[in-house]
Amino acid sequence: MHQESSDEQSNIVQITIQSNPSSLIPRQQHQVFKYPLSNASIPSSLKAVHSIYEQQKDSSSSSSTTQLPMTTSSLIALPTYTHQFDTMSIPLQSLTLFELLKRSSKLSLQLIQRTIAAHLKRDFLASLPYELKLLVISYLDVRSLQRASLVSKTWRRIVDGDANTWHRLLIRDGFQIQHNTHTPYRDQYRRQYTLRSNWRRGRFRRIEFDGHQDNIVTCLQFDHDKIVSGATDALINIYDAKRPRVVMTQLKGHNGGVWALQYVGNTLVSGSIDRTVRVWNIDQKRCTHIFKGHTSTVRCLQIVQPVLVNGCREPQEPLIVTGSRDFSIRVWRLPDVELGRPEDPPFIGEEDTISNRWFKFVLVGHTHSVRSIAAHGNTLVSGSYDNTVAVWDLADGRLVHRMEGHTSNVYSVVIDAPRNQCMSGSMDSSVFVWDLATGTCLHRLDGHSILVGLLGLTDNYLVSAAADRTLRVWNPNNGVCEHVLAGHEGAITCFKHDDEKVISGSEGGLKVWDIKTGKYLYDLVTDVKGVWWVTFDKTKCVVAIHK
């Protein structure tokens, strides 16, 4: 089953206040008019001319006159009034307007407001030089920019066209910047912001399809085009990620359950209970190489791709590293599956550098099952049921450090290459942080009460999952526990995280958490007997469940 994040949907409701036509009917003479500004104080700038006006009014008024309705003669005299107004000084004009406003009804004031409001408005942003416009909007956050773009077409052009502001926001909010594309930074931000928002709010569409029947899914990987799963039925299923309801390809060949797999491009490598490692050409649906040598179940594997370490390429070529219940780790060169013809039988390689040119060496040092491995460059870290963590050099197969401290089986290891350290989780309920250079323990992370079976690491967060039904979020710089994620019904069986969220599974279902706050967000899957595997990218989450 996989969940896919959908595009954001918005509904707009427009509410218009209707004017009552009957309110425009002239009032009768006997009605009492109420002027909103009748008691307004005289502005200080008009007090001098107002005192002269009062003197003239007192001398000319001998008695009150009867108020007459507007007649045709009043309309005829209107040009005279306006001419007299035009001849007044500006202070007297202002006073005249003020007195008229004091005697105006609410309807009249509303009419005046509507008339003059548009003339008094000024688009300050459009009036600025272009450089200052960009400086102003550089201080706005995303929501303010969105509102500003709705003010006018001019504002929208300014906001949408400022690449520097959107580039700054992409960096600030931790979004990926695509340089080799014609997609504007604003559109890049909008897409990634929408995806993040949909993950937080649980907006997705769900597709559920059959997996490996009643067998346990032990490994899972996917990309934009395909979903690949291995299970205890000895099969590797490949599904079309766009139409996954039907198995696209089924790779057969192992004689026992598939416990580990990984693919890079068109090359897939799998390890099995049958003690073999197989290399597959995915497009041709065929096994190209079978590597023998392990004498027990292949429990873990990793394709190690060359990376730059201190300016040097490590390792010199792609490698396959496998860990087994036979206490050993074996290293092979990754074959090129594009060589050869589709009808060629698979190469069967024994543990012999002469007959098998892909075999490199065996790493011996553990005294019990190798449960977990992690590699970066020429550095390989392994965790074993012998309670130890080992560091190896893949350039020459040398054991660099054998690190002791755990008091029970080591179930999980991860490498923190930027900090030159690694972490291990154990059945003794602890997590250790080790210095790769010296092999010493930097931190012991306590808090779990039972087996820590899973670890995950990003640049900013280390996450551990245990059989005590909780996950813990740690700061990898200092080993401080930042959050405890509690709420599952049973032991945590799988999880994955990035710098925004944690998705974790156990008996009952799959939960989503905010990794920054530790807050529970929502249930992604419910009412299942178990969750075997979960993985996700920016747009999809793929889950293997037992219903």
Side-chain angles (χ1 to χ4, degrees):
M1 175 191 67
H2 82 279
Q3 317 272 3
E4 182 172 347
S5 179
S6 62
D7 289 335
E8 184 179 13
Q9 297 181 354
S10 300
N11 293 324
I12 300 175
V13 179
Q14 179 173 284
I15 300 176
T16 304
I17 307 300
Q18 297 286 344
S19 297
N20 184 1
S22 61
S23 64
L24 300 180
I25 299 176
R27 303 185 183 204
Q28 298 299 320
Q29 295 181 21
H30 64 272
Q31 288 181 307
V32 178
F33 284 82
K34 183 176 181 180
Y35 300 121
L37 299 179
S38 59
N39 296 322
S41 59
I42 299 295
S44 58
S45 61
L46 299 180
K47 285 185 177 180
V49 69
H50 180 262
S51 62
I52 299 174
Y53 168 78
E54 289 292 337
Q55 293 175 5
Q56 293 294 327
K57 184 175 69 172
D58 292 339
S59 61
S60 62
S61 62
S62 57
S63 62
S64 60
T65 59
T66 303
Q67 191 174 21
L68 297 176
M70 181 177 290
T71 61
T72 303
S73 60
S74 299
L75 293 174
I76 295 174
L78 187 58
T80 304
Y81 301 152
T82 57
H83 176 72
Q84 290 177 350
F85 184 82
D86 291 339
T87 61
M88 295 178 183
S89 63
I90 292 179
L92 188 56
Q93 285 182 345
S94 300
L95 177 63
T96 302
L97 288 174
F98 181 75
E99 292 295 336
L100 290 174
L101 290 174
K102 286 171 59 177
R103 291 162 173 78
S104 297
S105 66
K106 187 174 182 180
L107 283 175
S108 299
L109 292 174
Q110 290 174 341
L111 174 63
I112 294 170
Q113 192 274 337
R114 290 194 299 270
T115 303
I116 67 175
H119 296 280
L120 296 179
K121 289 180 179 178
R122 182 179 180 183
D123 189 342
F124 77 94
L125 192 62
S127 304
L128 294 174
Y130 186 70
E131 293 76 9
L132 291 181
K133 294 174 185 177
L134 300 184
L135 179 62
V136 169
I137 68 172
S138 70
Y139 289 97
L140 301 180
D141 59 19
V142 175
R143 291 187 177 275
S144 299
L145 285 171
Q146 184 181 17
R147 295 190 184 102
S149 68
L150 300 176
V151 171
S152 66
K153 292 181 179 179
T154 301
W155 284 40
R156 186 177 186 88
R157 284 195 298 270
I158 296 170
V159 171
D160 291 356
D162 183 18
N164 289 333
T165 292
W166 292 106
H167 184 269
R168 172 179 56 82
L169 291 172
L170 282 166
I171 296 174
R172 187 200 68 183
D173 292 344
F175 291 140
Q176 183 179 1
I177 300 176
Q178 301 172 357
H179 295 288
N180 299 323
T181 178
H182 297 293
T183 305
Y185 289 142
R186 178 189 177 277
D187 293 344
Q188 292 184 34
Y189 186 94
R190 180 179 181 181
R191 171 175 168 76
Q192 295 181 72
Y193 180 87
T194 300
L195 286 171
R196 178 183 290 180
S197 177
N198 288 346
W199 275 113
R200 289 189 59 83
R201 291 174 171 82
R203 295 170 177 162
F204 55 82
R205 65 183 180 90
R206 170 173 172 156
I207 302 174
E208 187 169 336
F209 53 93
D210 292 335
H212 292 259
Q213 299 301 323
D214 296 328
N215 294 275
I216 298 173
V217 175
T218 57
C219 38
L220 186 67
Q221 187 180 345
F222 80 98
D223 57 33
H224 179 72
D225 299 315
K226 58 186 174 296
I227 301 169
V228 181
S229 61
T232 54
D233 59 4
L235 299 175
I236 298 172
N237 287 351
I238 302 177
Y239 306 85
D240 186 333
K242 299 179 180 63
R243 294 175 294 275
R245 297 190 186 277
V246 179
V247 177
M248 183 172 64
T249 302
Q250 198 168 66
L251 304 181
K252 301 178 181 180
H254 282 298
N255 296 319
V258 177
W259 279 94
L261 67 76
Q262 184 185 353
Y263 67 81
V264 174
N266 191 40
T267 302
L268 185 148
V269 181
S270 58
S272 168
I273 290 177
D274 66 11
R275 301 171 293 179
T276 66
V277 175
R278 286 178 175 254
V279 182
W280 310 78
N281 182 311
I282 297 176
D283 290 342
Q284 295 179 4
K285 307 174 186 178
R286 71 183 182 96
C287 178
T288 60
H289 299 75
I290 302 173
F291 295 150
K292 296 183 177 182
H294 282 297
T295 58
S296 187
T297 300
V298 178
R299 193 62 184 81
C300 50
L301 70 80
Q302 181 177 343
I303 298 174
V304 185
Q305 294 281 64
V307 295
L308 287 179
V309 178
N310 298 324
C312 299
R313 179 183 169 94
E314 294 184 5
Q316 291 295 316
E317 56 190 336
L319 301 176
I320 302 170
V321 181
T322 57
S324 170
R325 288 177 178 162
D326 64 9
F327 312 170
S328 73
I329 299 169
R330 280 167 166 75
V331 182
W332 288 271
R333 296 175 181 86
L334 182 67
D336 185 352
V337 299
E338 304 302 333
L339 300 178
R341 297 169 299 178
E343 63 271 17
D344 289 343
F347 169 86
I348 301 177
E350 301 292 341
E351 190 177 295
D352 181 358
T353 56
I354 298 177
S355 63
N356 183 358
R357 62 189 178 94
W358 289 280
F359 176 73
K360 195 167 184 182
F361 36 64
V362 182
L363 307 182
V364 178
H366 285 298
T367 59
H368 213 301
S369 298
V370 178
R371 182 62 172 77
S372 178
I373 58 173
H376 177 82
N378 280 333
T379 302
L380 172 69
V381 177
S382 59
S384 170
Y385 285 177
D386 64 8
N387 307 349
T388 68
V389 177
V391 180
W392 312 81
D393 188 338
L394 289 177
D396 54 17
R398 177 173 52 92
L399 175 63
V400 180
H401 301 296
R402 179 182 174 89
M403 300 178 292
E404 299 180 349
H406 285 295
T407 59
S408 190
N409 301 357
V410 176
Y411 270 76
S412 181
V413 294
V414 291
I415 283 184
D416 186 358
R419 301 176 183 87
N420 200 33
Q421 60 188 21
C422 67
M423 295 82 167
S424 57
S426 168
M427 186 180 282
D428 63 12
S429 76
S430 68
V431 177
F432 277 49
V433 182
W434 309 90
D435 188 322
L436 287 173
T438 64
T440 58
C441 178
L442 299 175
H443 307 286
R444 174 181 171 134
L445 312 183
D446 291 315
H448 288 295
S449 60
I450 200 171
L451 163 67
V452 179
L454 301 168
L455 292 178
L457 180 69
T458 61
D459 289 342
N460 298 314
Y461 300 100
L462 169 68
V463 178
S464 59
D468 61 8
R469 300 182 294 179
T470 69
L471 300 97
R472 288 179 175 260
V473 180
W474 312 83
N475 185 326
N477 291 305
N478 54 28
V480 173
C481 181
E482 297 183 346
H483 309 294
V484 179
L485 313 182
H488 280 288
E489 300 174 4
I492 311 301
T493 54
C494 58
F495 83 89
K496 187 175 180 181
H497 78 285
D498 56 19
D499 285 340
E500 297 293 329
K501 60 189 171 296
V502 181
I503 301 181
S504 56
S506 85
E507 179 183 346
L510 199 69
K511 297 182 181 295
V512 183
W513 316 79
D514 185 329
I515 198 170
K516 295 180 179 178
T517 64
K519 179 183 177 182
Y520 160 79
L521 296 179
Y522 56 88
D523 283 330
L524 193 59
V525 175
T526 58
D527 300 325
V528 295
K529 294 180 180 178
V531 182
W532 288 319
W533 200 277
V534 61
T535 185
F536 64 83
D537 62 10
K538 292 186 180 298
T539 62
K540 291 186 180 69
C541 177
V542 181
V543 189
I545 61 175
H546 177 46
K547 300 192 74 173

